[in-house]
Amino acid sequence: MTLPPPHSRGWVLPSIIVVLTLIAGGLGGVWAALIVLASGFAGVTAFHLMHLYRLQRWTKSSLEQYVPLPEGVGGWGDVLAALSRREQKRVAFQAMQKQTIEQFRRMAEALPSGVIVLDARRHIEWANPRAQQWLAINLEKDRGQPLSNLVRIPELRRFLADDLNGALPGNEAAQRALVIPSVFDTGKTLALQQVPFGQGGRLLLARDVTQYEAAARLRRDFIASVSHELKTPLTVIVGFLEMLEETPAAEMPEETRAHYFELMRTQANSMQRLVDDLLTLSALESGSREKEEETFAVKPLLESLQQQTQALSQDKHTVTLILSEEETQTETGTQVETQIHGVRDELASAFNNLLTNAVRYTPEGGNIELSWKIDGEGRGIFAVRDTGIGIAAEHLPRLTERFYRVDRGRSRASGGTGLGLAIVKHVLLRHQGELAIDSRVGKGSTFSAIIPAVRVSRQKA
Ligand code: ADP
């Protein structure tokens, strides 16, 4: 429905007054006409003043929500109704805008990254809670402050001085990330990146790269350790080779030559063991070794491990095998044998590593005992107990780290690579098992490989 223009209704009252004035003039003369005209004029003025007063009062109402406009009569009615509809639309539009802004704010708050808006002078305009936490910014206090005053890291000052618009697109500065420690959350490492934003300002994005950095450091350390481990035997071999090359055959007694070869072989063997262990570990870690799982009897495996250990020890230790009652007792005349479900080769090599260590770190004449039992929760416990040198408590949590050794010289001298327990840990992890270590210096150690109950079964032999 289209409304008549408001001013058209505005002519109604003055027209009535003119008509009434003319009638009064015709009937009662000039004075009557003047009285009617004056009264009419006063009435119209009062009418408009009343509407103006109501409208003015309305203008003081809240902007936030819709407050209905006063109702009016005649032209005022039309104008006020039109204004009212406009006002309704404005309030609805404003509510929608507010909701959108609120949504954006919540989104910025929920982001796993920190976000900081900086103006052209690198002063803080806004920061989401994560950025505030990581960089110890208190937005209420610090809004308008230069960021580099709050986060006093020289690299950050230089980073913020980068020209982001220099050679867009593909500006190198815009792609550069700055890695810094978090100011507040100690132990966290952050990667900062910046993009142009607004009028010469920039948006600073902070990501938590603690884990990534830790992994990178681990990788760097690992490469350094491997290089170091390989370098030592290589240097020895190269040294002897040079000596053999430089010394005329006639000048070197046969025994000396044989001795040098023997020493070179020992070093080459140690390098070979290291490379084998590295390959095993890398296959275990990458999960690439897709060996078939099988169900196998524990007893024959343990008996063969006992023999291997005895041979390795060259009868310098007493190696005993203690099987659980399960394996030895008879139920209604039938022997029960326990079985493990898993990758036999991997578990055999893990158990063997524990036994090799027992031989290595137990002085001559000591005892080594390998045992197998099922605990109260149905888990299989393969334990290797020795009466060896033992390990101080502070080393225990780090023993399964790659290349961690209590006594490097002793480990090397006995053919250790420093990777044995790391391999054991990985094999057990792949079988959802775990390694428990109990040790006392000078008394001996017990290493227990715990196999989860779901992988252990019993059968009549
Ligand atoms: P390594 O090849 O040096 O033996 P491992 O990873 O097998 O490497 O073991 C790590 C370290 O744990 C060894 O260097 C040694 O110090 C200590 N260790 C392991 N087993 C024993 C044990 N049975 N008795 C005493 N120390 C042990």
Side-chain angles (χ1 to χ4, degrees), residues 357 360-361 386 391 399 404-406 411 416-418 420-421 447:
N357 278 351
R360 257 183 216 149
Y361 303 107
D386 64 48
I391 306 154
L399 281 193
Y404 188 85
R405 288 127 149 171
V406 177
S411 156
T417 60
L421 291 181
F447 286 75

Side-chain angles (χ1 to χ4, degrees), residues 3 67 104 111 115 134 143 178-179 259 267 277 295 345 383:
L3 283 168
V67 179
F104 267 99
L111 275 179
V115 182
W134 285 346
R143 202 191 290 269
L178 173 71
V179 178
H259 180 58
Q267 297 301 329
D277 276 358
T295 304
D345 287 357

Side-chain angles (χ1 to χ4, degrees), residues 302-316:
L302 299 194
E303 285 166 348
S304 123
L305 284 173
Q306 181 194 17
Q307 280 167 16
Q308 281 177 41
T309 312
Q310 194 75 64
L312 181 74
S313 138
Q314 295 173 327
D315 291 326
K316 289 181 186 140

Side-chain angles (χ1 to χ4, degrees), residues 383-396:
V384 177
R385 195 164 70 81
D386 64 48
T387 54
I389 57 172
I391 306 154
E394 72 259 28
H395 297 291
L396 295 183

